[in-house]
Amino acid sequence: MDESANAGADTGAGAAADAGQPSVRLGVLLADPALGLTQLAGPPAGDRTVGTVGTTELEDPSPYLVGGELLLTSGVRLPDDADGIDTYVRRVVAAGVAALGFGVAPVHAEVPPELVRACDRHGLPLLRLPPATPFVAVGQAAYAAIAEDRNRELREVSRAQSALAAAAARPDALPAVLAQLAAHTGAWSVLYDAQGTELLSAGHRPADPHLLRDLAVHTLRRHGGPKAAASHDPDQGVHLTVHTLPAGTGGTSTATLALGQAATAPPTTVHRQVTGTATVLLALLTSPRHALSTDAHSVGALVRLMLGAAPAEVAPALAARDAPTASGHWTVVHGHRPGGPPAVTDLAQLAALASLLGTPYVYVDGPVLKALVPCAADARPAVPGRAAELGWVLGYSAPAAAADLPRADTQAERALRRALAAGSPAVVHTTGPVTLHALVAPADARELARTRFAPLDLAGPPGAEVLLDTLRTWLALHGSWDRTAAALAVHRNTVRHRLARVAGLLDVDLQDPGVRMELWFALEWLSP
């Protein structure tokens, strides 16, 4: 894999296109019946691009060429011998000419065969211009095609920029902008932090996304400011580009985020311009000002809260910025990131997390997260799957009016505990009862049960398994000796004897209701 800041550059045929200059494919000119061009030599020229059309009758025009030309000549001063013609072709190829056009009559009745052989030898497309086709007509056709192609590109760029601008105005601005970028470039588009964590992505994921991740991390570590990098892996058939985003304003601060793209074809001029617009928008959306959401409504609400206003009084001002969901109801979200370093280290990452949750009202302190999400009164929270991929476990409350936010806060906290206990990425509060089983992690519960009943392993015959079965049956039958004896097909005195041994080994009073409850839960948690 080779890497450069401007990867994808080519010589000769592709120079004009790769440099972003207006160009036309030779196939367009060959297909124009008014020109009557035919290719006599050289590789297939259908996709080869021409940036300009030039006419020359110099013996050595190479000092006056810039590359990418369709060079037209009638051979007035073309050398007579094969060696001279070979030298002529070799020089124009070295100068980057895209193709050579030879006009027959009045100087030459037909294209010299030595020229055909030389062009084949050096890989230069050779076109024959019939006597009825003026050189100027070829130039006019080329420039008309270039203008039409340029207009088409401008229309594509304009449509893409409009879509990106509309996406940037949405509440879920970051994922919306990435989705539009992927749609208009055909590339998998992803936002990385400095550690290579995939914050957001859109488009078709490549078979090996780690190639793009590694390039993004390398670019962020190598360059302190805005930078572009590109790479092509022929084995994987993928073209990678990375653009770093500055964390602050003015483009002078250290880059902490990177926009990566993976596509099956090199980026076109249109794709580059669209990506440039998206990069600017993403830099603005992940700036501190946007991350803090310092709009007039939020600032005013904060001032009123600090001066003693109740949450119910200022909530409408906050919800007003989200007109479609401004019903006065909110979902409270609690989050925790188990293990590892804090997930959010700067405001740019906070903006990405806020976009995932669909709200600017997010507070993160190390591994702890709290958020307020405006919603409809009967809405069910939309849990973002990407939050789990970033390491967050979330608990959601039911929708609540501003006056009921303390109750919703408690619901979100309980939901988070249930999610952590069950090993689930998210739990949404329901109206059903919260059980003790949901508050204790299954692994912790089994370990607690094993520890609680470990003393029974010291019992002699009939053994710990029989004692546990007797205890379970007795508790299930509400402490009835006779019913337990009947269920186990033993004498009631045997039941009493076994339970006395259990009480002694565990050092408990089986007549205590609290002890019975504790042992029942432990039996429920004990693995079979």
Side-chain angles (χ1 to χ4, degrees):
M1 181 184 296
D2 65 326
E3 177 187 331
S4 68
N6 297 290
D10 196 359
T11 60
D18 290 329
Q21 299 298 322
S23 61
V24 61
R25 290 183 298 109
L26 269 178
V28 173
L29 301 180
L30 286 168
D32 188 341
L35 298 178
L37 305 180
T38 54
Q39 183 174 354
L40 302 180
D47 291 331
R48 183 165 291 205
T49 57
V50 171
T52 187
V53 177
T55 301
T56 182
E57 299 300 342
L58 297 176
E59 292 183 8
D60 181 13
S62 57
Y64 307 98
L65 302 175
V66 295
E69 297 94 345
L70 169 56
L71 188 63
L72 304 180
T73 181
S74 60
V76 173
R77 304 187 68 178
L78 186 71
D80 295 329
D81 60 298
D83 290 340
I85 291 177
D86 186 85
T87 300
Y88 177 88
V89 172
R90 178 162 38 82
R91 285 173 175 171
V92 297
V93 167
V97 165
L100 181 65
F102 195 91
V104 295
V107 180
H108 294 268
E110 195 50 70
V111 180
E114 293 84 358
L115 182 60
V116 175
R117 288 191 288 270
C119 288
D120 270 331
R121 191 160 45 247
H122 294 286
L124 179 65
L126 174 62
L127 310 184
R128 178 187 184 275
L129 278 70
T133 301
F135 285 4
V136 68
V138 178
Q140 288 175 342
Y143 297 134
I146 289 174
E148 175 57 31
D149 194 57
R150 184 58 176 164
N151 288 335
R152 177 189 56 78
E153 290 180 350
L154 291 175
R155 289 193 295 270
E156 289 184 19
V157 171
S158 178
R159 286 194 296 266
Q161 289 177 338
S162 296
L164 288 169
R170 291 176 44 169
D172 57 339
L174 283 176
V177 169
L178 284 177
Q180 288 298 327
L181 177 61
H184 286 277
T185 62
W188 182 55
S189 303
V190 56
L191 196 63
Y192 292 106
D193 66 9
Q195 287 73 44
T197 304
E198 182 183 319
L199 301 176
L200 297 165
S201 66
H204 181 67
R205 183 181 295 268
D208 188 0
H210 295 92
L211 294 174
L212 183 58
R213 175 192 176 277
D214 293 344
L215 180 61
V217 172
H218 173 75
T219 306
L220 283 168
R221 291 177 179 173
R222 183 177 179 182
H223 305 291
K227 185 69 178 180
S231 175
H232 172 226
D233 190 329
D235 295 333
Q236 298 288 337
V238 63
H239 295 262
L240 311 177
T241 56
V242 169
H243 296 266
T244 61
L245 307 181
T249 58
T252 58
S253 61
T254 300
T256 58
L257 292 179
L259 168 65
Q261 293 175 286
T264 56
T268 65
T269 301
V270 172
H271 294 166
R272 291 191 184 100
Q273 293 187 43
V274 173
T275 300
T277 300
T279 301
V280 172
L281 289 175
L282 291 171
L284 292 173
L285 291 171
T286 55
S287 67
R289 180 174 181 82
H290 185 272
L292 291 172
S293 188
T294 53
D295 58 275
H297 290 294
S298 301
V299 171
L302 177 60
V303 171
R304 291 172 63 190
L305 278 174
M306 294 182 67
L307 295 178
E313 297 178 41
V314 302
L318 296 177
R321 69 193 303 276
D322 300 283
T325 57
S327 66
H329 283 71
W330 302 81
T331 297
V332 179
V333 183
H334 281 210
H336 181 71
R337 188 172 186 271
V344 178
T345 57
D346 58 40
L347 293 175
Q349 293 172 324
L350 179 60
L353 186 59
S355 292
L356 282 175
L357 296 174
T359 177
Y361 308 118
V362 179
Y363 167 77
V364 176
D365 183 11
V368 176
L369 175 149
K370 294 185 178 182
L372 282 173
V373 182
C375 66
D378 57 350
R380 178 174 176 80
V383 179
R386 291 285 305 138
E389 294 180 29
L390 296 178
W392 288 99
V393 178
L394 303 176
Y396 284 77
S397 75
D404 295 328
L405 283 177
R407 177 175 57 85
D409 187 59
T410 301
Q411 292 176 354
E413 178 61 28
R414 288 177 177 173
L416 176 60
R417 291 179 184 174
R418 290 165 58 193
L420 291 170
S424 173
V427 167
V428 178
H429 173 79
T430 61
T431 56
V434 178
T435 66
L436 183 61
H437 293 289
L439 299 178
V440 182
D444 294 340
R446 285 192 294 270
E447 184 60 29
L448 175 64
R450 293 191 188 101
T451 302
R452 189 69 185 89
F453 292 120
L456 298 184
D457 294 336
L458 303 177
E465 184 175 347
V466 173
L467 295 179
L468 285 173
D469 186 46
T470 303
L471 176 62
R472 182 182 289 105
T473 304
W474 182 72
L475 291 173
L477 296 175
H478 306 290
S480 171
W481 307 103
D482 293 331
R483 293 169 62 192
T484 302
L488 297 176
V490 297
H491 195 276
R492 68 192 307 272
N493 288 339
T494 302
V495 174
R496 287 182 177 275
H497 176 70
R498 290 177 182 176
L499 292 177
R501 294 186 64 189
V502 169
L505 289 169
L506 299 182
D507 192 22
V508 295
D509 179 5
L510 292 179
Q511 301 307 312
D512 186 334
V515 171
R516 293 189 186 187
M517 178 184 68
E518 175 199 347
L519 295 178
W520 177 255
F521 276 113
L523 285 168
E524 288 290 297
W525 291 331
L526 191 64
S527 298

